[in-house]
Amino acid sequence: MKKKLKIVGISLLIIVTLLVASPFIFQSQIKDMVRNYINDNVNAKVSFDDVNLSFISSFPQANVTLDNLVITNLAPFENDTLAKVKLLSLDMSIKELFKNSSEDPIIVNTIAIDEAIINLKTNTEGQANWDIAKTSDTSTASETTKSKGFAFDIENYSIKNSAFNYLDQSTNTIFNIANLNHSGNGRFSGDVSELETKTEANVSFSLDSTEYLSNNSLKLDALIDLDLTNSKYTFKDNKAVINNLPIEFKGFVQLTEAGQNIDISFENPGSTFKDFLAVIPKAYAKNLDDVDTTGSFKINGVVKGEVTETKIPTLDINILSNNASFKFADLPKRVENITINTQIKNDTGNVDDTYVNINTLNFKIDQDEFKSSASIKNLTKNMLVNANIDGVLNLGNLTKAYPIELENELKGILKAKLNTSFDMNAIETNAYDRIKNSGSLSLSDFVFSSADIVNPLNITQASVNFNPGTITLDNFIAKTGDTDLNATGTINNLLGFLLSDQKLTGNFNLKSNVFKISDFMAEGGSDAPINQSAEPATALKIPAFLDCTITADAKSVYYDNLILKDVKGQLKIADEKAQLNNVTSSIFNGNLTLEGLVDTKTARPTFNMNVGAKNFDIAQSFTDLHLLQALAPITKVLQGKLNSTINLSGSLGEDFTPLLNSISGDAFAELMTTKIEPKNEQLFSMLESKLTFLDFSKLDLKDLTTKLSFDNGQVTVKPFDIKYNDIKMTIDGSHTFSNTMNYKVVLDVPSKYLGSDVTGLINKINDPAVDTITIPVTATISGNTLKPNVQTDLTSGVKNLTAKLIEIEKQKLLNKGKDKLTDVVGNLLGSNTPKDSTGTQSGSGVKDLLGGIINNTNTPKDTTKTEDNTPKDKVKDALNGLFGKKKTKE
């Protein structure tokens, strides 16, 4: 006995050892088997991390698992991921491992898939990305060859934590299944078999951009008869739950050569109104356990017919409810008198003939009754809508009657009596002749909050009248922050704005007593630094949904630290941009004009503007307007008026003021002032100390004009002239917005201002012509406005002037000598010459005299003449005196 037990024990040990060791022995064979199957049967790129074999987990069967299986498409869906499976597990008989797959199919009994993502796609040409099976090279392939690979004799299968995505680009059909957990038990080997399935998932479905299911919860327990010979699948005992709505259905689906043949009917087994609330997605339905309902609700339908490339089954789906009501236990309001009568029908099988009739949709909250009806046709193409609305709705009661959570506060009274008829193409193309509206709509005490606006918009009253071809905004009285708005106008596409996400277009007249830019700015903008130097994190945005023209008239507009009075002009708003046309205002005791563009579409808003200033008070404008301070910081000491035109462009900060280092442009300015107050300005004090003859308080700048340009944070001033008494000054240079300066002032200074030495020399010369002499004196200004550095070349100017005056004195003395010679020669030639008979002096006498003087040096002296008082001697003595030759003493 002991020997038998020992033999049994050894045998079991050997079996266990073989079961543990076999996977390692056959590992290579299994990998080759999987790899060969893939290469023989699939036109796609297939990869996997590893293949594992186990006899323990599925004994007496073998278990084969693939880790991280990825199937990637080839053309025409190249590089698209068809499938990605974290774990694929196959159970089969051990003997299947030893089959030659090239001769006999390998039979698989169980399949388990974990964390799979399947992406199925059909392109516009009708090609499917799952069509990856290889076809035989020849049409005479044997049946044996056709059967190569795997065969399935499935007893059970499971899919866990997976997702399924389907896209048909030709019909714009999207079907998504998320969080899929599905299992089935049955056998596929017989001609007729039975399959029992359990499914849980979240389902989304849309057709031609219309979403019919949105992540709806689905539970399905289905018992299905499988007639594999006739490809017919019959639903015997089937119960589904869509969200919380139970549905029972029966019928069949049969595959045909043309497509499918469907005959399915369904209905909800209950009849209370709670079943209707269950249709609403869980995110909005909340807990239905504590809701009290009255009245009935019934949904039933039949789907019957063929599904082909050109046809769909006929539809007859009905939703009915009469005199129903509901109230949630923790909410104060009851919704009552609910009547619903809706049909979804298709009588022909042509998809375009599907239509929806909402014959009645009525309800009442408190004393407010709301009634509506509509018909919707041609669902898949150019949808046709005809709707009637008549009722009153207190929007604030919605959250008091139904547990819906809104991101923004909703309050107000909506009154509507409206009939509308249109097709969606007319809405999208603004074909107003096909949009028929009549009636009115009003809104009062409405509060609207949105991410697009900073402060809640409180609409006191708004009323819209609908007429064929036109929609008029009769009044719009609202307030946001401290800003009040009063608007009227015409609206071109209100339905397009409400129904198809179009921009709101129209022409409006807007009036306001107080309009604050900060009421439309992102939080924190008012605390931003005045002298912007960094890119803003957030900024005021022009709403993207506006495409309109606004004619504005505002009594007071508050912008940064400025108050603009009587602002009038036109704004054309489109694409998050505002075009300003002929905008005028009163500010700084003068008039302001604006023309230009503000663009808030980009992360950093930009502007391009022409600014006109007329009769601005200089002191006030250069103190309060930071841009003017940056352009001409010294000008704040002036008293008087300013006319200017400024062309500039750049970026705006979060407080909607210019980022100074980003702006560029040019400016022209005309000063109309007679007074300057330099007492507290260090630069002027330093100039006066260097140039003692200047008194800037007496400087006359009236009618001064100057031009400047600016770019990259630097202002360049074109040369301009000013006059101080009889001194001309020419100024040019540049400065930066950080107040560093590089200027040059050239003064044409009259000589009389250049010190006592120069003045004494001028008095000694005693010549009026000397007073008109000017010397250029250059003052260079550097540093910054708070700590300026002033250098002058006055010393060298005085030195040069002194040298010039000495040269003038020298020339004056020379000129005196020449004048004396002229007088002597004139006397000699004129007074001592005897007159002829005509009364004029004799030319021959002058000729003789000059000849005698000239010839004297070559004529021997007459020793007989002793008298030394001849005319010749007199001239000689005079010349000697003029040119410095002294007579020898006797």
Side-chain angles (χ1 to χ4, degrees):
M1 183 68 180
K2 292 182 179 180
K3 186 177 181 181
K4 291 181 180 180
L5 290 175
K6 186 175 181 180
I7 293 172
V8 171
I10 293 172
S11 299
L12 289 175
L13 180 60
I14 292 171
I15 292 171
V16 172
T17 303
L18 288 173
L19 289 175
V20 173
S22 294
F24 300 98
I25 298 171
F26 296 110
Q27 191 88 1
S28 177
Q29 182 178 347
I30 297 300
K31 285 186 178 180
D32 290 340
M33 180 184 70
V34 174
R35 188 176 292 108
N36 291 334
Y37 171 77
I38 291 171
N39 292 331
D40 292 341
N41 294 276
V42 174
N43 277 319
K45 297 177 182 178
V46 182
S47 65
F48 50 86
D49 288 351
D50 202 359
V51 177
N52 298 301
L53 174 64
S54 172
F55 294 121
I56 301 296
S57 61
S58 58
F59 186 81
Q61 291 186 323
N63 175 258
V64 179
T65 60
L66 275 75
D67 296 330
N68 296 321
L69 173 67
V70 178
I71 303 175
T72 306
N73 283 113
L74 303 177
F77 300 95
E78 191 167 5
N79 296 327
D80 284 357
T81 300
L82 173 61
K84 187 175 183 180
V85 183
K86 184 177 181 180
L87 180 67
L88 173 62
S89 175
L90 308 174
D91 288 350
M92 63 190 75
S93 174
I94 294 175
K95 67 180 181 179
E96 300 297 319
L97 297 176
F98 301 97
K99 281 186 177 180
N100 186 344
S101 62
S102 63
E103 298 176 357
D104 300 306
I106 299 171
I107 298 174
V108 177
N109 302 113
T110 303
I111 299 176
I113 297 174
D114 191 14
E115 294 187 28
I117 300 176
I118 311 298
N119 301 302
L120 305 183
K121 183 188 293 185
T122 301
N123 62 21
T124 54
E125 288 78 25
Q127 297 170 301
N129 73 333
W130 63 86
D131 187 10
I132 60 173
K134 284 185 177 181
T135 58
S136 177
D137 293 337
T138 64
S139 60
T140 60
S142 66
E143 293 299 324
T144 303
T145 304
K146 291 180 181 177
S147 65
K148 290 179 182 179
F150 286 90
F152 296 98
D153 187 9
I154 295 176
E155 294 178 358
N156 57 73
Y157 66 92
S158 65
I159 303 172
K160 297 180 179 179
N161 303 320
S162 297
F164 173 91
N165 303 306
Y166 173 73
L167 169 63
D168 187 341
Q169 293 179 328
S170 61
T171 60
N172 196 16
T173 300
I174 301 174
F175 183 56
N176 302 109
I177 299 177
N179 303 319
L180 173 63
N181 289 280
H182 173 77
S183 62
N185 298 296
R187 294 183 66 86
F188 290 84
S189 58
D191 291 337
V192 177
S193 58
E194 190 175 71
L195 177 65
E196 184 177 1
T197 65
K198 292 183 179 295
T199 305
E200 291 185 6
N202 289 61
V203 181
S204 299
F205 174 73
S206 67
L207 176 63
D208 196 23
S209 301
T210 301
E211 192 169 39
Y212 297 96
L213 298 173
S214 178
N215 202 35
N216 292 80
S217 173
L218 173 67
K219 293 182 180 180
L220 174 63
D221 296 337
L223 183 63
I224 307 171
D225 274 348
L226 307 177
D227 183 352
L228 301 180
T229 302
N230 298 307
S231 299
K232 185 176 180 179
Y233 309 95
T234 303
F235 300 97
K236 295 173 61 176
D237 183 14
N238 304 278
K239 296 179 180 179
V241 178
I242 303 174
N243 288 339
N244 286 322
L245 174 66
I247 294 288
E248 294 180 352
F249 62 97
K250 60 184 178 179
F252 69 85
V253 175
Q254 185 175 15
L255 302 181
T256 65
E257 291 185 3
Q260 299 93 35
N261 186 25
I262 297 176
D263 188 350
I264 295 177
S265 61
F266 62 90
E267 66 176 353
N268 60 318
S271 61
T272 67
F273 191 75
K274 185 178 289 188
D275 291 341
F276 170 76
L277 297 179
V279 179
I280 301 171
K282 281 186 175 180
Y284 303 105
K286 303 301 179 184
N287 186 2
L288 297 180
D289 295 335
D290 296 328
V291 63
D292 173 51
T293 65
T294 64
S296 62
F297 173 78
K298 198 71 177 177
I299 180 170
N300 58 68
V302 176
V303 181
K304 186 175 183 178
E306 291 184 311
V307 180
T308 67
E309 292 183 356
T310 59
K311 295 185 67 176
I312 64 170
T314 59
L315 304 173
D316 188 1
I317 301 172
N318 298 281
I319 303 171
L320 298 170
S321 180
N322 290 306
N323 196 28
S325 70
F326 69 87
K327 182 182 183 301
F328 285 83
D330 55 348
L331 295 177
K333 301 293 182 181
R334 174 179 286 272
V335 182
E336 52 191 355
N337 294 354
I338 301 172
T339 302
I340 303 172
N341 183 353
T342 298
Q343 293 177 309
I344 304 172
K345 298 199 71 176
N346 184 301
D347 301 318
T348 66
N350 184 347
V351 66
D352 296 334
D353 293 335
T354 305
Y355 62 92
V356 178
N357 279 338
I358 305 174
N359 299 311
T360 307
L361 178 57
N362 300 341
F363 62 89
K364 180 180 178 181
I365 305 177
D366 285 346
Q367 302 304 312
D368 298 332
E369 293 189 43
F370 193 86
K371 300 178 180 181
S372 63
S373 63
S375 68
I376 307 171
K377 299 179 179 179
N378 202 22
L379 295 179
T380 59
K381 289 188 176 180
N382 183 21
M383 189 166 62
L384 305 174
V385 178
N386 191 311
N388 290 281
I389 299 173
D390 184 4
V392 178
L393 184 60
N394 186 336
L395 301 177
N397 281 338
L398 294 179
T399 55
K400 295 178 181 179
Y402 191 83
I404 185 172
E405 294 181 0
L406 300 176
E407 292 183 3
N408 304 307
E409 181 183 18
L410 185 63
K411 292 193 306 183
I413 306 297
L414 173 67
K415 296 181 180 180
K417 189 173 181 62
L418 175 65
N419 172 261
T420 182
S421 177
F422 58 87
D423 62 88
M424 288 305 299
N425 179 260
I427 295 291
E428 293 166 358
T429 60
N430 296 324
Y432 302 120
D433 57 322
R434 302 204 311 269
I435 304 173
K436 309 299 182 183
N437 299 309
S438 62
S440 63
L441 184 148
S442 67
L443 193 62
S444 59
D445 300 322
F446 177 71
V447 177
F448 175 72
S449 299
S450 169
D452 289 335
I453 58 176
V454 177
N455 299 305
L457 180 63
N458 296 274
I459 301 176
T460 304
Q461 182 66 45
S463 60
V464 179
N465 264 309
F466 296 83
N467 299 294
T470 62
I471 300 175
T472 59
L473 179 65
D474 291 339
N475 65 66
F476 179 87
I477 302 172
K479 189 171 184 179
T480 179
D482 294 324
T483 299
D484 63 276
L485 304 168
N486 190 331
T488 60
T490 59
I491 305 172
N492 297 332
N493 68 331
L494 181 61
L495 293 179
F497 172 65
L498 297 175
L499 300 178
S500 64
D501 200 28
Q502 290 188 13
K503 296 180 179 180
L504 182 65
T505 64
N507 296 299
F508 303 98
N509 297 311
L510 175 64
K511 293 185 178 181
S512 176
N513 291 311
V514 175
F515 193 97
K516 288 187 175 182
I517 301 295
S518 59
D519 287 334
F520 301 88
M521 288 170 45
E523 185 177 354
S526 59
D527 296 328
I530 296 302
N531 187 5
Q532 292 282 348
S533 60
E535 181 176 352
T538 57
L540 171 66
K541 288 287 186 181
I542 297 170
F545 62 81
L546 284 178
D547 186 353
C548 59
T549 299
I550 300 174
T551 302
D553 184 353
K555 298 300 181 185
S556 299
V557 174
Y558 292 80
Y559 171 59
D560 195 27
N561 62 325
L562 305 176
I563 303 176
L564 290 81
K565 296 293 185 180
D566 300 322
V567 178
K568 296 180 180 181
Q570 186 185 78
L571 281 78
K572 291 187 176 181
I573 297 176
D575 198 26
E576 299 183 54
K577 301 174 185 177
Q579 176 72 46
L580 285 70
N581 296 323
N582 195 29
V583 177
T584 62
S585 175
S586 298
I587 190 173
F588 304 133
N589 298 320
N591 298 312
L592 172 69
T593 61
L594 295 173
E595 295 272 351
L597 179 71
V598 176
D599 185 353
T600 67
K601 190 172 184 178
T602 56
R604 178 192 292 181
T606 61
F607 70 97
N608 192 326
M609 198 72 60
N610 295 327
V611 182
K614 186 175 182 181
N615 293 326
F616 270 24
D617 180 276
I618 294 176
Q620 185 180 359
S621 61
F622 277 80
T623 299
D624 295 343
L625 196 58
H626 308 294
L627 175 63
L628 292 182
Q629 284 185 18
L631 293 180
I634 302 302
T635 315
K636 62 185 178 182
V637 303
L638 303 180
Q639 302 291 320
K641 297 290 185 179
L642 166 72
N643 290 336
S644 179
T645 58
I646 306 174
N647 305 312
L648 69 162
S649 61
S651 300
L652 295 170
E654 63 182 27
D655 62 351
F656 229 50
T657 57
L659 291 168
L660 292 180
N661 288 333
S662 75
I663 68 171
S664 62
D666 54 69
F668 173 81
E670 178 186 13
L671 301 180
M672 297 176 294
T673 181
T674 57
K675 190 176 182 182
I676 183 170
E677 295 287 349
K679 294 180 181 178
N680 297 322
E681 192 65 37
Q682 187 176 1
L683 173 60
F684 290 101
S685 299
M686 294 185 69
L687 282 170
E688 287 182 342
S689 67
K690 297 281 186 179
L691 305 171
T692 56
F693 50 83
L694 288 181
D695 183 355
F696 281 102
S697 63
K698 298 179 180 179
L699 194 65
D700 184 4
L701 301 180
K702 189 175 182 181
D703 299 328
L704 170 66
T705 61
T706 184
K707 293 182 180 180
L708 53 88
S709 61
F710 40 93
D711 191 18
N712 294 324
Q714 179 165 305
V715 181
T716 302
V717 178
K718 309 297 182 183
F720 66 94
D721 296 334
I722 58 177
K723 201 167 182 65
Y724 169 79
N725 292 337
D726 51 357
I727 300 175
K728 175 187 173 185
M729 302 182 190
T730 301
I731 303 172
D732 70 326
S734 64
H735 67 272
T736 66
F737 290 147
S738 57
N739 289 333
T740 60
M741 298 184 297
N742 183 16
Y743 277 94
K744 181 176 67 174
V745 182
V746 178
L747 303 90
D748 286 338
V749 182
S751 55
K752 61 184 178 181
Y753 293 114
L754 299 179
S756 57
D757 292 340
V758 175
T759 305
L761 187 56
I762 292 172
N763 292 333
K764 183 177 181 181
I765 295 173
N766 192 23
D767 189 336
V770 175
D771 294 338
T772 63
I773 297 175
T774 62
I775 293 297
V777 176
T778 300
T780 57
I781 303 171
S782 58
N784 59 59
T785 54
L786 299 177
K787 192 175 181 181
N789 181 26
V790 178
Q791 299 291 332
T792 66
D793 62 349
L794 183 60
T795 302
S796 61
V798 171
K799 182 178 180 181
N800 292 336
L801 177 60
T802 303
K804 189 173 182 180
L805 290 175
I806 292 172
E807 180 63 25
I808 290 173
E809 177 66 10
K810 179 179 178 181
Q811 293 298 325
K812 185 176 179 182
L813 292 174
L814 290 175
N815 290 336
K816 283 184 179 180
K818 294 177 182 178
D819 292 341
K820 191 178 293 185
L821 173 61
T822 302
D823 291 341
V824 172
V825 173
N827 290 332
L828 290 175
L829 298 183
S831 60
N832 296 324
T833 304
K835 295 180 181 180
D836 59 16
S837 59
T838 62
T840 60
Q841 291 177 339
S842 172
S844 60
V846 174
K847 181 177 179 181
D848 293 341
L849 177 60
L850 290 176
I853 294 172
I854 294 171
N855 294 326
N856 180 57
T857 56
N858 297 321
T859 305
K861 190 173 182 181
D862 187 357
T863 56
T864 60
K865 294 182 180 180
T866 58
E867 188 175 351
D868 191 17
N869 196 20
T870 66
K872 182 175 67 173
D873 295 330
K874 291 182 178 179
V875 173
K876 182 179 179 182
D877 292 339
L879 290 176
N880 287 333
L882 284 174
F883 295 104
K885 294 184 180 180
K886 298 181 179 180
K887 292 193 296 183
T888 303
K889 290 185 178 181
E890 295 180 354

